[in-house]
Amino acid sequence: MPASTRDYPADAQLESILAKELGRQRDRLEMIASENFVSEHVLRVTASVFTNKYAEGYPDRRFYGGCEYADELEILAQGRARKLFGAEHANVQPHCGSTANMAAFFAAMKPGDLFLGMNLSHGGHLTHGASVSFSGRVFSARFYGVREDTEIIDYDEVASLAERLKPKVIVAGASSYPRIIDFERFREAADRAGAALIVDMAHYAGMVAAGLYPSPVPLAEIVTTTTHKTLRGPRGGMILCRRSYAKAVDDEIFPGIQGGPLMHVIAAKALALGEALEPDFIDYQRQLLKNASRLAARLIDAGFRLVSGGTDIHLVLIDLRNKNITGSQAEIALDKAGITANKNTIPFDKRSFSVTSGLRLGTAALTTRGLNESDMDEVADFVCTALHNVDDDSKLKKIRERVAAFLRKFPLYPGLDF
Ligand code: PLP
């Protein structure tokens, strides 16, 4: 057997790390709102032989030989993406959500152009204009946010900023905004300002695919997404756009920003998009929403204040100020209790991004594991007990043991060793 494919002795060091990570995912409550568990099939396809293939370019326009099956694969993925979201054009090559956004911005703007994005501390994403991101360094970003009284996007502010500043682009979409975004109002503001509308639906893509969240696709010139959140595909990005933007978007992804596409990930995207076209994907999205609203109700019963008073989607954002704990204390305590989540700023937060006053919890991954709304009562109890005992390591350890025992009812990748 050639050296490159012979059976190497087991790499004990690496296998031990992989096995520990599988154990972590199995034994802890995964509540990071941007994570999910792909199907075993998607997991397997992500490790396919397409990892070996260079395919710079696009189907029938490659810069390497031997791309006939890569072409077939990419055409399949594009077609499924267009069908699932009713889009005129799909680019499935972005390595992640950030490069998808970068390509969308460069397709619609020139360096130095002004755009409107959502304030990071009100729920926006780094790539929507933060000064530490390419988006705030290459382009000139201005921000809209939520109203202080309702914590709902201030659509009047969006309209007046758009009218006054005449941005080239308005970006809608967020990472920690628990409500449905009114894309129609963003479209109106963009039209009045003569701006293009880019929607980043990374968090909502699965719900949009299932028809349970308004689709931005008919309204926006360009829609970007990650494929690994509620859409439940492999880690990656994707762009949907109008035909008139297709060439600009494709040229920005390659050769503008990326080199060879990750064809093994595109294979997994094709598979995940196929899964999302099946009727039971809608059941999954319905359950994820039921789980989030049950979680929200139980947290409110336990005296926690939720930003905007609740949720319409798969995540809740807890305002911890009335409990006198910070987001980072909460994250650490939950970790000790076997619950994985992340600290998050809340609108008008006075604490820094590394401390924060909020905690973001999501239900996408737990719903994939099979938890339903009655299980969420127990999950909420674990979370609330941990948050009420952030300094009591022995109580947190007991919760961790209870969490691991509880999760044995919901096996994760039962056939896998690592
Ligand atoms: N856009 C939004 C709204 C996100 O929440 C995220 C990540 O969480 C991204 C873009 C970036 O995705 P990635 O981490 O794949 O670059």
Side-chain angles (χ1 to χ4, degrees):
M1 189 173 284
S4 56
T5 54
R6 81 185 154 81
D7 226 0
Y8 282 99
D11 182 336
Q13 207 178 353
L14 179 64
E15 283 179 16
S16 133
I17 296 170
L18 295 174
K20 282 189 286 190
E21 174 59 14
L22 177 59
R24 187 193 70 77
Q25 293 190 16
R26 279 182 177 150
D27 292 347
R28 302 201 204 163
L29 282 172
E30 183 50 75
M31 300 193 77
I32 291 182
S34 47
E35 293 191 11
N36 209 330
F37 299 116
V38 295
S39 69
E40 271 191 57
H41 202 180
V42 169
L43 201 56
R44 195 168 58 76
V45 167
T46 312
S48 78
V49 289
F50 269 115
T51 196
N52 301 324
K53 187 70 200 104
Y54 243 119
E56 273 182 2
Y58 290 97
D60 298 324
R61 293 179 281 137
R62 302 286 188 189
F63 291 84
Y64 289 85
C67 285
E68 61 269 42
Y69 305 117
D71 283 7
E72 211 179 307
L73 170 64
E74 188 163 348
I75 289 167
L76 179 71
Q78 291 168 339
R80 287 183 180 175
R82 286 198 310 271
K83 182 169 175 201
L84 185 63
F85 292 104
E88 290 180 3
H89 179 76
N91 187 310
V92 295
Q93 292 195 4
H95 298 333
C96 63
S98 299
T99 55
N101 283 344
M102 189 186 274
F105 291 1
F106 275 109
M109 289 188 279
K110 291 196 189 53
D113 279 350
L114 191 143
F115 77 99
L116 286 185
M118 186 159 174
N119 189 326
L120 182 61
S121 68
H122 290 207
H125 186 256
L126 273 174
T127 56
H128 299 180
S131 59
V132 291
S133 146
F134 79 89
S135 55
R137 304 209 311 260
V138 176
F139 304 103
S140 170
R142 300 284 189 284
F143 301 99
Y144 61 86
V146 299
R147 285 171 56 115
E148 198 154 5
D149 53 349
T150 58
E151 295 169 318
I152 300 295
I153 289 174
D154 189 341
Y155 294 99
D156 293 334
E157 184 190 26
V158 175
S160 71
L161 283 173
E163 217 146 304
R164 185 158 55 80
L165 299 172
K166 296 276 183 289
K168 207 65 197 280
V169 161
I170 302 180
V171 179
S175 289
S176 56
Y177 180 69
R179 295 298 181 177
I180 283 175
I181 296 175
D182 189 340
F183 296 125
E184 306 259 2
R185 295 202 61 185
F186 275 100
R187 179 72 266 169
E188 283 164 25
D191 284 345
R192 272 207 294 275
L197 176 62
I198 295 178
V199 174
D200 177 348
M201 63 167 183
H203 269 273
Y204 319 117
M207 292 166 273
V208 170
L212 300 173
Y213 192 101
S215 174
V217 173
L219 294 169
E221 276 82 355
I222 306 177
V223 175
T224 62
T225 185
T226 53
T227 45
H228 48 269
K229 299 187 173 80
T230 53
L231 194 53
R232 205 164 61 180
R235 186 157 297 283
M238 191 163 76
I239 305 175
L240 308 166
C241 66
R242 295 189 181 165
R243 216 167 277 113
S244 55
Y245 276 85
K247 180 169 169 19
V249 161
D250 287 355
D251 288 351
E252 289 306 339
I253 282 292
F254 175 84
I257 295 164
Q258 297 185 172
L262 308 175
M263 293 314 298
H264 56 307
V265 179
I266 291 177
K269 285 175 185 170
L271 182 58
L273 290 164
E275 289 177 358
L277 282 160
E278 293 294 322
D280 63 359
F281 189 72
I282 300 176
D283 301 336
Y284 163 63
Q285 297 293 332
R286 279 213 182 93
Q287 189 61 51
L288 150 170
L289 289 170
K290 276 191 210 161
N291 286 357
S293 80
R294 183 74 156 249
L295 175 66
R298 290 292 163 266
L299 291 168
I300 291 168
D301 292 346
F304 288 93
R305 194 189 87 79
L306 301 187
V307 169
S308 83
T311 183
D312 299 327
I313 58 167
H314 63 299
L315 67 84
V316 298
L317 186 58
I318 307 178
D319 171 359
L320 295 164
R321 289 174 304 183
N322 64 348
K323 299 288 180 184
N324 288 324
I325 50 174
T326 67
S328 70
Q329 278 175 307
E331 182 184 306
I332 292 165
L334 290 186
D335 230 349
K336 290 181 182 167
I339 303 164
T340 312
N342 68 289
K343 62 181 177 242
N344 214 106
T345 53
I346 55 170
F348 310 98
D349 208 328
K350 294 205 167 50
R351 294 195 171 104
S352 72
F353 283 100
S354 55
V355 180
T356 82
S357 304
L359 182 75
R360 189 182 68 156
L361 298 173
T363 57
L366 293 185
T367 307
T368 296
R369 260 191 106 157
L371 277 72
N372 63 26
E373 61 273 35
S374 58
D375 302 311
M376 294 318 286
D377 293 346
E378 203 147 349
V379 168
D381 183 49
F382 293 139
V383 170
C384 295
T385 313
L387 292 179
H388 285 135
N389 292 282
V390 291
D391 293 323
D392 189 333
D393 278 4
S394 79
K395 277 212 175 107
L396 296 173
K397 186 163 168 277
K398 283 209 182 77
I399 299 170
R400 189 187 186 111
E401 288 158 6
R402 282 174 55 212
V403 162
F406 168 75
L407 283 173
R408 266 175 229 127
K409 286 188 282 178
F410 307 95
L412 179 68
Y413 304 131
L416 289 190
D417 295 328
F418 57 77

PDB file of all heavy atoms in Angstrom, residues 309-341:
ATOM      1  N   GLY A 309     -38.386  40.622  26.649  1.00  0.00           N
ATOM      2  CA  GLY A 309     -39.479  39.937  27.349  1.00  0.00           C
ATOM      3  C   GLY A 309     -39.704  38.505  26.906  1.00  0.00           C
ATOM      4  O   GLY A 309     -40.598  37.833  27.433  1.00  0.00           O
ATOM      5  N   GLY A 310     -38.930  37.998  25.968  1.00  0.00           N
ATOM      6  CA  GLY A 310     -39.145  36.602  25.553  1.00  0.00           C
ATOM      7  C   GLY A 310     -38.426  36.306  24.265  1.00  0.00           C
ATOM      8  O   GLY A 310     -37.374  36.867  23.985  1.00  0.00           O
ATOM      9  N   THR A 311     -39.025  35.431  23.466  1.00  0.00           N
ATOM     10  CA  THR A 311     -38.359  35.055  22.203  1.00  0.00           C
ATOM     11  C   THR A 311     -39.370  34.638  21.142  1.00  0.00           C
ATOM     12  O   THR A 311     -40.433  34.105  21.476  1.00  0.00           O
ATOM     13  CB  THR A 311     -37.357  33.898  22.434  1.00  0.00           C
ATOM     14  OG1 THR A 311     -36.692  33.616  21.202  1.00  0.00           O
ATOM     15  CG2 THR A 311     -38.025  32.634  22.939  1.00  0.00           C
ATOM     16  N   ASP A 312     -39.011  34.865  19.885  1.00  0.00           N
ATOM     17  CA  ASP A 312     -39.773  34.330  18.747  1.00  0.00           C
ATOM     18  C   ASP A 312     -38.978  33.244  18.057  1.00  0.00           C
ATOM     19  O   ASP A 312     -39.442  32.669  17.084  1.00  0.00           O
ATOM     20  CB  ASP A 312     -39.989  35.415  17.664  1.00  0.00           C
ATOM     21  CG  ASP A 312     -40.766  36.613  18.163  1.00  0.00           C
ATOM     22  OD1 ASP A 312     -41.643  36.434  19.026  1.00  0.00           O
ATOM     23  OD2 ASP A 312     -40.487  37.731  17.676  1.00  0.00           O
ATOM     24  N   ILE A 313     -37.743  33.024  18.507  1.00  0.00           N
ATOM     25  CA  ILE A 313     -36.847  32.152  17.727  1.00  0.00           C
ATOM     26  C   ILE A 313     -36.227  31.063  18.609  1.00  0.00           C
ATOM     27  O   ILE A 313     -36.853  30.630  19.572  1.00  0.00           O
ATOM     28  CB  ILE A 313     -35.786  32.986  16.977  1.00  0.00           C
ATOM     29  CG1 ILE A 313     -34.964  33.837  17.941  1.00  0.00           C
ATOM     30  CG2 ILE A 313     -36.446  33.866  15.928  1.00  0.00           C
ATOM     31  CD1 ILE A 313     -33.712  34.429  17.313  1.00  0.00           C
ATOM     32  N   HIS A 314     -35.020  30.647  18.270  1.00  0.00           N
ATOM     33  CA  HIS A 314     -34.400  29.502  18.951  1.00  0.00           C
ATOM     34  C   HIS A 314     -33.519  29.945  20.112  1.00  0.00           C
ATOM     35  O   HIS A 314     -32.819  29.113  20.685  1.00  0.00           O
ATOM     36  CB  HIS A 314     -33.528  28.733  17.945  1.00  0.00           C
ATOM     37  CG  HIS A 314     -32.404  29.573  17.421  1.00  0.00           C
ATOM     38  ND1 HIS A 314     -32.633  30.730  16.721  1.00  0.00           N
ATOM     39  CD2 HIS A 314     -31.051  29.468  17.535  1.00  0.00           C
ATOM     40  CE1 HIS A 314     -31.472  31.284  16.411  1.00  0.00           C
ATOM     41  NE2 HIS A 314     -30.493  30.548  16.902  1.00  0.00           N
ATOM     42  N   LEU A 315     -33.494  31.245  20.419  1.00  0.00           N
ATOM     43  CA  LEU A 315     -32.587  31.678  21.488  1.00  0.00           C
ATOM     44  C   LEU A 315     -33.257  32.659  22.444  1.00  0.00           C
ATOM     45  O   LEU A 315     -34.221  33.342  22.075  1.00  0.00           O
ATOM     46  CB  LEU A 315     -31.310  32.283  20.898  1.00  0.00           C
ATOM     47  CG  LEU A 315     -31.367  33.603  20.119  1.00  0.00           C
ATOM     48  CD1 LEU A 315     -31.327  34.821  21.036  1.00  0.00           C
ATOM     49  CD2 LEU A 315     -30.176  33.675  19.172  1.00  0.00           C
ATOM     50  N   VAL A 316     -32.736  32.670  23.650  1.00  0.00           N
ATOM     51  CA  VAL A 316     -33.153  33.676  24.629  1.00  0.00           C
ATOM     52  C   VAL A 316     -31.897  34.399  25.098  1.00  0.00           C
ATOM     53  O   VAL A 316     -30.807  33.832  25.109  1.00  0.00           O
ATOM     54  CB  VAL A 316     -33.879  33.058  25.857  1.00  0.00           C
ATOM     55  CG1 VAL A 316     -35.154  32.359  25.447  1.00  0.00           C
ATOM     56  CG2 VAL A 316     -32.969  32.111  26.626  1.00  0.00           C
ATOM     57  N   LEU A 317     -32.105  35.664  25.475  1.00  0.00           N
ATOM     58  CA  LEU A 317     -30.998  36.456  26.001  1.00  0.00           C
ATOM     59  C   LEU A 317     -31.401  36.909  27.403  1.00  0.00           C
ATOM     60  O   LEU A 317     -32.376  37.648  27.559  1.00  0.00           O
ATOM     61  CB  LEU A 317     -30.754  37.648  25.075  1.00  0.00           C
ATOM     62  CG  LEU A 317     -29.545  38.530  25.374  1.00  0.00           C
ATOM     63  CD1 LEU A 317     -28.251  37.744  25.377  1.00  0.00           C
ATOM     64  CD2 LEU A 317     -29.462  39.664  24.337  1.00  0.00           C
ATOM     65  N   ILE A 318     -30.668  36.393  28.399  1.00  0.00           N
ATOM     66  CA  ILE A 318     -31.013  36.715  29.790  1.00  0.00           C
ATOM     67  C   ILE A 318     -30.267  37.970  30.220  1.00  0.00           C
ATOM     68  O   ILE A 318     -29.061  38.083  30.007  1.00  0.00           O
ATOM     69  CB  ILE A 318     -30.620  35.563  30.744  1.00  0.00           C
ATOM     70  CG1 ILE A 318     -31.204  34.233  30.270  1.00  0.00           C
ATOM     71  CG2 ILE A 318     -31.068  35.861  32.160  1.00  0.00           C
ATOM     72  CD1 ILE A 318     -30.815  33.047  31.155  1.00  0.00           C
ATOM     73  N   ASP A 319     -30.997  38.893  30.831  1.00  0.00           N
ATOM     74  CA  ASP A 319     -30.388  40.071  31.459  1.00  0.00           C
ATOM     75  C   ASP A 319     -30.135  39.692  32.920  1.00  0.00           C
ATOM     76  O   ASP A 319     -31.073  39.472  33.685  1.00  0.00           O
ATOM     77  CB  ASP A 319     -31.389  41.239  31.355  1.00  0.00           C
ATOM     78  CG  ASP A 319     -30.941  42.447  32.160  1.00  0.00           C
ATOM     79  OD1 ASP A 319     -29.878  42.393  32.806  1.00  0.00           O
ATOM     80  OD2 ASP A 319     -31.691  43.447  32.144  1.00  0.00           O
ATOM     81  N   LEU A 320     -28.855  39.589  33.282  1.00  0.00           N
ATOM     82  CA  LEU A 320     -28.513  39.064  34.615  1.00  0.00           C
ATOM     83  C   LEU A 320     -28.400  40.152  35.690  1.00  0.00           C
ATOM     84  O   LEU A 320     -28.061  39.855  36.834  1.00  0.00           O
ATOM     85  CB  LEU A 320     -27.175  38.318  34.529  1.00  0.00           C
ATOM     86  CG  LEU A 320     -27.177  37.057  33.663  1.00  0.00           C
ATOM     87  CD1 LEU A 320     -25.741  36.640  33.333  1.00  0.00           C
ATOM     88  CD2 LEU A 320     -27.904  35.916  34.360  1.00  0.00           C
ATOM     89  N   ARG A 321     -28.676  41.404  35.311  1.00  0.00           N
ATOM     90  CA  ARG A 321     -28.382  42.494  36.252  1.00  0.00           C
ATOM     91  C   ARG A 321     -29.171  42.375  37.546  1.00  0.00           C
ATOM     92  O   ARG A 321     -28.652  42.662  38.616  1.00  0.00           O
ATOM     93  CB  ARG A 321     -28.626  43.848  35.585  1.00  0.00           C
ATOM     94  CG  ARG A 321     -27.576  44.172  34.522  1.00  0.00           C
ATOM     95  CD  ARG A 321     -27.901  45.410  33.773  1.00  0.00           C
ATOM     96  NE  ARG A 321     -29.224  45.340  33.172  1.00  0.00           N
ATOM     97  CZ  ARG A 321     -29.760  46.269  32.400  1.00  0.00           C
ATOM     98  NH1 ARG A 321     -29.082  47.364  32.129  1.00  0.00           N
ATOM     99  NH2 ARG A 321     -30.975  46.125  31.896  1.00  0.00           N
ATOM    100  N   ASN A 322     -30.435  41.909  37.468  1.00  0.00           N
ATOM    101  CA  ASN A 322     -31.210  41.815  38.713  1.00  0.00           C
ATOM    102  C   ASN A 322     -30.749  40.662  39.599  1.00  0.00           C
ATOM    103  O   ASN A 322     -31.191  40.522  40.742  1.00  0.00           O
ATOM    104  CB  ASN A 322     -32.719  41.701  38.416  1.00  0.00           C
ATOM    105  CG  ASN A 322     -33.074  40.424  37.672  1.00  0.00           C
ATOM    106  OD1 ASN A 322     -32.186  39.730  37.173  1.00  0.00           O
ATOM    107  ND2 ASN A 322     -34.350  40.102  37.604  1.00  0.00           N
ATOM    108  N   LYS A 323     -29.838  39.815  39.086  1.00  0.00           N
ATOM    109  CA  LYS A 323     -29.315  38.706  39.890  1.00  0.00           C
ATOM    110  C   LYS A 323     -27.915  39.012  40.409  1.00  0.00           C
ATOM    111  O   LYS A 323     -27.279  38.156  41.045  1.00  0.00           O
ATOM    112  CB  LYS A 323     -29.264  37.420  39.041  1.00  0.00           C
ATOM    113  CG  LYS A 323     -30.618  36.974  38.519  1.00  0.00           C
ATOM    114  CD  LYS A 323     -31.478  36.404  39.636  1.00  0.00           C
ATOM    115  CE  LYS A 323     -32.821  35.957  39.090  1.00  0.00           C
ATOM    116  NZ  LYS A 323     -33.725  35.482  40.136  1.00  0.00           N
ATOM    117  N   ASN A 324     -27.440  40.208  40.080  1.00  0.00           N
ATOM    118  CA  ASN A 324     -26.103  40.618  40.521  1.00  0.00           C
ATOM    119  C   ASN A 324     -24.991  39.657  40.135  1.00  0.00           C
ATOM    120  O   ASN A 324     -24.074  39.405  40.921  1.00  0.00           O
ATOM    121  CB  ASN A 324     -26.075  40.842  42.045  1.00  0.00           C
ATOM    122  CG  ASN A 324     -26.826  42.103  42.387  1.00  0.00           C
ATOM    123  OD1 ASN A 324     -26.777  43.082  41.626  1.00  0.00           O
ATOM    124  ND2 ASN A 324     -27.563  42.069  43.472  1.00  0.00           N
ATOM    125  N   ILE A 325     -25.110  39.086  38.954  1.00  0.00           N
ATOM    126  CA  ILE A 325     -23.973  38.311  38.432  1.00  0.00           C
ATOM    127  C   ILE A 325     -23.685  38.803  37.013  1.00  0.00           C
ATOM    128  O   ILE A 325     -24.563  39.363  36.356  1.00  0.00           O
ATOM    129  CB  ILE A 325     -24.196  36.776  38.433  1.00  0.00           C
ATOM    130  CG1 ILE A 325     -25.532  36.411  37.785  1.00  0.00           C
ATOM    131  CG2 ILE A 325     -24.070  36.194  39.801  1.00  0.00           C
ATOM    132  CD1 ILE A 325     -25.721  34.916  37.637  1.00  0.00           C
ATOM    133  N   THR A 326     -22.458  38.581  36.583  1.00  0.00           N
ATOM    134  CA  THR A 326     -22.091  39.021  35.234  1.00  0.00           C
ATOM    135  C   THR A 326     -22.250  37.851  34.257  1.00  0.00           C
ATOM    136  O   THR A 326     -22.355  36.680  34.676  1.00  0.00           O
ATOM    137  CB  THR A 326     -20.619  39.480  35.192  1.00  0.00           C
ATOM    138  OG1 THR A 326     -19.783  38.335  35.421  1.00  0.00           O
ATOM    139  CG2 THR A 326     -20.331  40.557  36.210  1.00  0.00           C
ATOM    140  N   GLY A 327     -22.198  38.193  32.975  1.00  0.00           N
ATOM    141  CA  GLY A 327     -22.260  37.153  31.953  1.00  0.00           C
ATOM    142  C   GLY A 327     -21.106  36.173  32.077  1.00  0.00           C
ATOM    143  O   GLY A 327     -21.286  34.966  31.929  1.00  0.00           O
ATOM    144  N   SER A 328     -19.916  36.702  32.376  1.00  0.00           N
ATOM    145  CA  SER A 328     -18.777  35.776  32.429  1.00  0.00           C
ATOM    146  C   SER A 328     -18.865  34.875  33.662  1.00  0.00           C
ATOM    147  O   SER A 328     -18.550  33.683  33.574  1.00  0.00           O
ATOM    148  CB  SER A 328     -17.438  36.508  32.323  1.00  0.00           C
ATOM    149  OG  SER A 328     -17.190  37.222  33.460  1.00  0.00           O
ATOM    150  N   GLN A 329     -19.356  35.404  34.786  1.00  0.00           N
ATOM    151  CA  GLN A 329     -19.548  34.517  35.960  1.00  0.00           C
ATOM    152  C   GLN A 329     -20.560  33.410  35.619  1.00  0.00           C
ATOM    153  O   GLN A 329     -20.390  32.254  35.999  1.00  0.00           O
ATOM    154  CB  GLN A 329     -20.113  35.317  37.136  1.00  0.00           C
ATOM    155  CG  GLN A 329     -19.090  36.085  37.933  1.00  0.00           C
ATOM    156  CD  GLN A 329     -19.790  36.932  38.993  1.00  0.00           C
ATOM    157  OE1 GLN A 329     -20.700  37.710  38.694  1.00  0.00           O
ATOM    158  NE2 GLN A 329     -19.377  36.765  40.240  1.00  0.00           N
ATOM    159  N   ALA A 330     -21.611  33.819  34.911  1.00  0.00           N
ATOM    160  CA  ALA A 330     -22.654  32.855  34.563  1.00  0.00           C
ATOM    161  C   ALA A 330     -22.095  31.765  33.646  1.00  0.00           C
ATOM    162  O   ALA A 330     -22.326  30.573  33.858  1.00  0.00           O
ATOM    163  CB  ALA A 330     -23.817  33.569  33.867  1.00  0.00           C
ATOM    164  N   GLU A 331     -21.322  32.191  32.640  1.00  0.00           N
ATOM    165  CA  GLU A 331     -20.761  31.219  31.687  1.00  0.00           C
ATOM    166  C   GLU A 331     -19.864  30.209  32.411  1.00  0.00           C
ATOM    167  O   GLU A 331     -19.943  28.998  32.168  1.00  0.00           O
ATOM    168  CB  GLU A 331     -19.973  31.972  30.603  1.00  0.00           C
ATOM    169  CG  GLU A 331     -19.397  31.061  29.547  1.00  0.00           C
ATOM    170  CD  GLU A 331     -18.524  31.808  28.519  1.00  0.00           C
ATOM    171  OE1 GLU A 331     -19.001  32.789  27.921  1.00  0.00           O
ATOM    172  OE2 GLU A 331     -17.370  31.389  28.334  1.00  0.00           O
ATOM    173  N   ILE A 332     -19.042  30.724  33.322  1.00  0.00           N
ATOM    174  CA  ILE A 332     -18.117  29.833  34.048  1.00  0.00           C
ATOM    175  C   ILE A 332     -18.903  28.864  34.950  1.00  0.00           C
ATOM    176  O   ILE A 332     -18.631  27.660  34.999  1.00  0.00           O
ATOM    177  CB  ILE A 332     -17.103  30.666  34.867  1.00  0.00           C
ATOM    178  CG1 ILE A 332     -16.165  31.416  33.913  1.00  0.00           C
ATOM    179  CG2 ILE A 332     -16.298  29.797  35.832  1.00  0.00           C
ATOM    180  CD1 ILE A 332     -15.354  32.532  34.553  1.00  0.00           C
ATOM    181  N   ALA A 333     -19.915  29.403  35.642  1.00  0.00           N
ATOM    182  CA  ALA A 333     -20.700  28.546  36.547  1.00  0.00           C
ATOM    183  C   ALA A 333     -21.432  27.468  35.746  1.00  0.00           C
ATOM    184  O   ALA A 333     -21.459  26.286  36.140  1.00  0.00           O
ATOM    185  CB  ALA A 333     -21.697  29.396  37.328  1.00  0.00           C
ATOM    186  N   LEU A 334     -22.006  27.854  34.604  1.00  0.00           N
ATOM    187  CA  LEU A 334     -22.719  26.859  33.789  1.00  0.00           C
ATOM    188  C   LEU A 334     -21.752  25.788  33.291  1.00  0.00           C
ATOM    189  O   LEU A 334     -22.081  24.602  33.271  1.00  0.00           O
ATOM    190  CB  LEU A 334     -23.424  27.525  32.605  1.00  0.00           C
ATOM    191  CG  LEU A 334     -24.645  28.404  32.917  1.00  0.00           C
ATOM    192  CD1 LEU A 334     -25.308  28.856  31.623  1.00  0.00           C
ATOM    193  CD2 LEU A 334     -25.679  27.690  33.775  1.00  0.00           C
ATOM    194  N   ASP A 335     -20.566  26.208  32.908  1.00  0.00           N
ATOM    195  CA  ASP A 335     -19.556  25.242  32.453  1.00  0.00           C
ATOM    196  C   ASP A 335     -19.289  24.209  33.549  1.00  0.00           C
ATOM    197  O   ASP A 335     -19.242  23.004  33.281  1.00  0.00           O
ATOM    198  CB  ASP A 335     -18.257  25.993  32.139  1.00  0.00           C
ATOM    199  CG  ASP A 335     -17.708  25.617  30.778  1.00  0.00           C
ATOM    200  OD1 ASP A 335     -18.224  24.644  30.194  1.00  0.00           O
ATOM    201  OD2 ASP A 335     -16.785  26.297  30.302  1.00  0.00           O
ATOM    202  N   LYS A 336     -19.133  24.706  34.780  1.00  0.00           N
ATOM    203  CA  LYS A 336     -18.883  23.778  35.902  1.00  0.00           C
ATOM    204  C   LYS A 336     -20.076  22.845  36.104  1.00  0.00           C
ATOM    205  O   LYS A 336     -19.936  21.740  36.599  1.00  0.00           O
ATOM    206  CB  LYS A 336     -18.618  24.565  37.186  1.00  0.00           C
ATOM    207  CG  LYS A 336     -17.283  25.289  37.183  1.00  0.00           C
ATOM    208  CD  LYS A 336     -17.081  26.030  38.498  1.00  0.00           C
ATOM    209  CE  LYS A 336     -15.772  26.811  38.492  1.00  0.00           C
ATOM    210  NZ  LYS A 336     -15.696  27.781  39.611  1.00  0.00           N
ATOM    211  N   ALA A 337     -21.262  23.325  35.724  1.00  0.00           N
ATOM    212  CA  ALA A 337     -22.474  22.522  35.912  1.00  0.00           C
ATOM    213  C   ALA A 337     -22.771  21.638  34.692  1.00  0.00           C
ATOM    214  O   ALA A 337     -23.842  21.026  34.612  1.00  0.00           O
ATOM    215  CB  ALA A 337     -23.659  23.453  36.188  1.00  0.00           C
ATOM    216  N   GLY A 338     -21.846  21.617  33.723  1.00  0.00           N
ATOM    217  CA  GLY A 338     -22.065  20.760  32.550  1.00  0.00           C
ATOM    218  C   GLY A 338     -23.012  21.366  31.531  1.00  0.00           C
ATOM    219  O   GLY A 338     -23.640  20.652  30.755  1.00  0.00           O
ATOM    220  N   ILE A 339     -23.110  22.705  31.524  1.00  0.00           N
ATOM    221  CA  ILE A 339     -23.999  23.391  30.570  1.00  0.00           C
ATOM    222  C   ILE A 339     -23.123  24.362  29.776  1.00  0.00           C
ATOM    223  O   ILE A 339     -22.467  25.231  30.359  1.00  0.00           O
ATOM    224  CB  ILE A 339     -25.108  24.170  31.311  1.00  0.00           C
ATOM    225  CG1 ILE A 339     -25.904  23.223  32.207  1.00  0.00           C
ATOM    226  CG2 ILE A 339     -26.017  24.889  30.307  1.00  0.00           C
ATOM    227  CD1 ILE A 339     -26.744  23.930  33.260  1.00  0.00           C
ATOM    228  N   THR A 340     -23.123  24.209  28.451  1.00  0.00           N
ATOM    229  CA  THR A 340     -22.259  25.057  27.635  1.00  0.00           C
ATOM    230  C   THR A 340     -23.085  26.171  27.008  1.00  0.00           C
ATOM    231  O   THR A 340     -24.066  25.911  26.307  1.00  0.00           O
ATOM    232  CB  THR A 340     -21.573  24.216  26.535  1.00  0.00           C
ATOM    233  OG1 THR A 340     -21.032  23.039  27.140  1.00  0.00           O
ATOM    234  CG2 THR A 340     -20.461  25.007  25.871  1.00  0.00           C
ATOM    235  N   ALA A 341     -22.678  27.420  27.302  1.00  0.00           N
ATOM    236  CA  ALA A 341     -23.413  28.576  26.783  1.00  0.00           C
ATOM    237  C   ALA A 341     -22.423  29.717  26.659  1.00  0.00           C
ATOM    238  O   ALA A 341     -21.235  29.547  26.933  1.00  0.00           O
ATOM    239  CB  ALA A 341     -24.548  28.951  27.731  1.00  0.00           C
TER     240      ALA A 341
END
